[in-house]
Amino acid sequence: MFTRRPSRNESFSKHHNTSFDKHRAGKATSSKQKRSFRDHAATVKKLDVNPKKPDHSPPVGRRVFNSLALLKWKADNASSTLTSPIVTICVGPEQRLFAAHEDVLSHSPFFAAICRGQFLESGSKRVNLPEELPEIFSSVLEYLYKGDYYPRLMHNKRRNTWELEEDGSKNNVESTVYSHSSGQQLLKDTMLYCTADRYGLEDLKRLSLRKQGLQSGIQCSTILASARYAYANTSDSDSKLRAHYLALIIRSRSTFKRSGTMQMEMEQGGTM
């Protein structure tokens, strides 16, 4: 029998539909270029299909971004974490109130000791932190619950680089926080680093340094003031922090040269 040959219109229609489907599939594939730490954590959880033994302790002491492993650990233990008792925290001289689950706070050795009852006020789960800044403590809590803090660290898949989340504005408000103790604007990531150091959150220290390294357009006075704050509130043996600030100052040397800030600081003397 003779086989019917498709007409020219039918061949064109089939080719057109196939090309359109490929174009639509390609567009859908390329629409997502940025991934957050939460996306990476979901991928890690899918790959871990055959764990040898259940480990309910938080991951610590790893060189790679531990936030990924920490997010996976939080997801595995979410049922017990979100049903634990609520602890009220009074922060700053104005006693701004925060609330957090006890198990979430206990990721920090500092708060784990508090939650064991050593410093809790009698009869209530309440903690007073009069020396802390509410803006900084809010970011600490955000990190404990989400593994990151605003602005988040995002992965640009197309460029294969890490960058800070954009909020659509051109200002740099979130990069600094006013410190009442020093009377100056300080880098938020530096203050978070020092707070994480007190709370024993090594992953948060690494994350804050990584984020600060992505900041740009920082004023010379802010860099120097933040360096002094960091040096005064961390151990002299913290070589990673000091190397970070040395690299930051070297990277901004042209800005320092134009402003004359570094020369003025050297003439005045003192320590960093």
Side-chain angles (χ1 to χ4, degrees):
M1 298 296 293
F2 293 101
T3 304
R4 178 177 175 272
R5 178 178 299 177
S7 65
R8 179 179 300 178
N9 291 337
E10 289 175 341
S11 300
F12 174 78
S13 176
K14 183 177 180 181
H15 174 73
H16 177 73
N17 291 337
T18 304
S19 300
F20 178 75
D21 291 341
K22 289 183 178 179
H23 171 73
R24 184 170 54 185
K27 185 176 181 182
T29 304
S30 61
S31 61
K32 283 192 175 182
Q33 296 180 352
K34 296 184 178 181
R35 302 169 63 195
S36 65
F37 273 154
R38 299 183 70 179
D39 299 326
H40 277 275
T43 304
V44 172
K45 188 174 181 181
K46 288 180 180 178
L47 293 176
D48 189 11
V49 294
N50 189 24
K52 294 181 180 180
K53 291 183 180 180
D55 184 6
H56 300 292
S57 61
V60 294
R62 297 173 188 168
R63 294 181 62 85
V64 185
F65 262 109
N66 228 2
S67 298
L68 305 181
L70 183 60
L71 278 175
K72 179 182 180 300
W73 176 78
K74 288 176 184 177
D76 294 338
N77 295 274
S79 58
S80 61
T81 296
L82 298 182
T83 57
S84 62
I86 298 294
V87 178
T88 302
I89 308 104
C90 300
V91 181
E94 297 180 357
Q95 294 190 333
R96 182 174 168 182
L97 296 180
F98 292 86
H101 293 87
E102 183 176 326
D103 285 354
V104 173
L105 286 175
S106 295
H107 296 160
S108 158
F110 175 84
F111 286 108
I114 292 179
C115 292
R116 284 196 297 266
Q118 296 180 13
F119 302 105
L120 286 174
E121 296 180 358
S122 58
S124 65
K125 291 185 176 296
R126 187 184 182 93
V127 180
N128 290 317
L129 301 174
E131 303 299 326
E132 297 291 356
L133 288 177
E135 298 92 335
I136 299 300
F137 188 76
S138 175
S139 294
V140 172
L141 275 189
E142 185 179 2
Y143 167 79
L144 287 174
Y145 274 99
K146 299 180 180 180
D148 203 348
Y149 61 89
Y150 181 81
R152 294 181 301 166
L153 191 62
M154 308 293 292
H155 183 246
N156 189 319
K157 188 177 180 180
R158 181 172 61 86
R159 298 179 180 177
N160 194 27
T161 58
W162 290 95
E163 55 192 38
L164 294 177
E165 177 184 29
E166 297 179 357
D167 60 357
S169 63
K170 295 183 179 180
N171 54 38
N172 220 14
V173 177
E174 286 291 334
S175 64
T176 60
V177 174
Y178 182 77
S179 170
H180 296 281
S181 59
S182 63
Q184 292 177 295
Q185 291 284 342
L186 302 179
L187 289 170
K188 175 183 176 180
D189 295 317
T190 289
M191 300 189 73
L192 270 167
Y193 182 96
C194 297
T195 303
D197 186 57
R198 292 195 301 273
Y199 292 167
L201 296 170
E202 295 297 322
D203 299 329
L204 180 54
K205 289 170 61 177
R206 284 190 284 270
L207 179 61
S208 61
L209 277 190
R210 180 71 179 272
K211 284 187 167 187
Q212 185 164 292
L214 296 174
Q215 296 283 358
S216 61
I218 306 172
Q219 295 183 0
C220 300
S221 57
T222 302
I223 294 176
L224 293 176
S226 301
R228 289 195 194 93
Y229 178 89
Y231 281 35
N233 289 274
T234 56
S235 170
D236 292 339
S237 61
D238 193 338
S239 58
K240 185 175 293 185
L241 175 69
R242 282 145 180 77
H244 170 84
Y245 263 102
L246 180 61
L248 180 60
I249 292 174
I250 292 175
R251 192 166 66 244
S252 308
R253 61 186 179 276
S254 58
T255 307
F256 277 106
K257 186 177 181 179
R258 288 195 303 269
S259 66
T261 305
M262 181 63 74
Q263 181 179 353
M264 181 182 65
E265 292 292 334
M266 294 176 67
E267 291 173 354
Q268 290 178 353
T271 59
M272 287 291 290

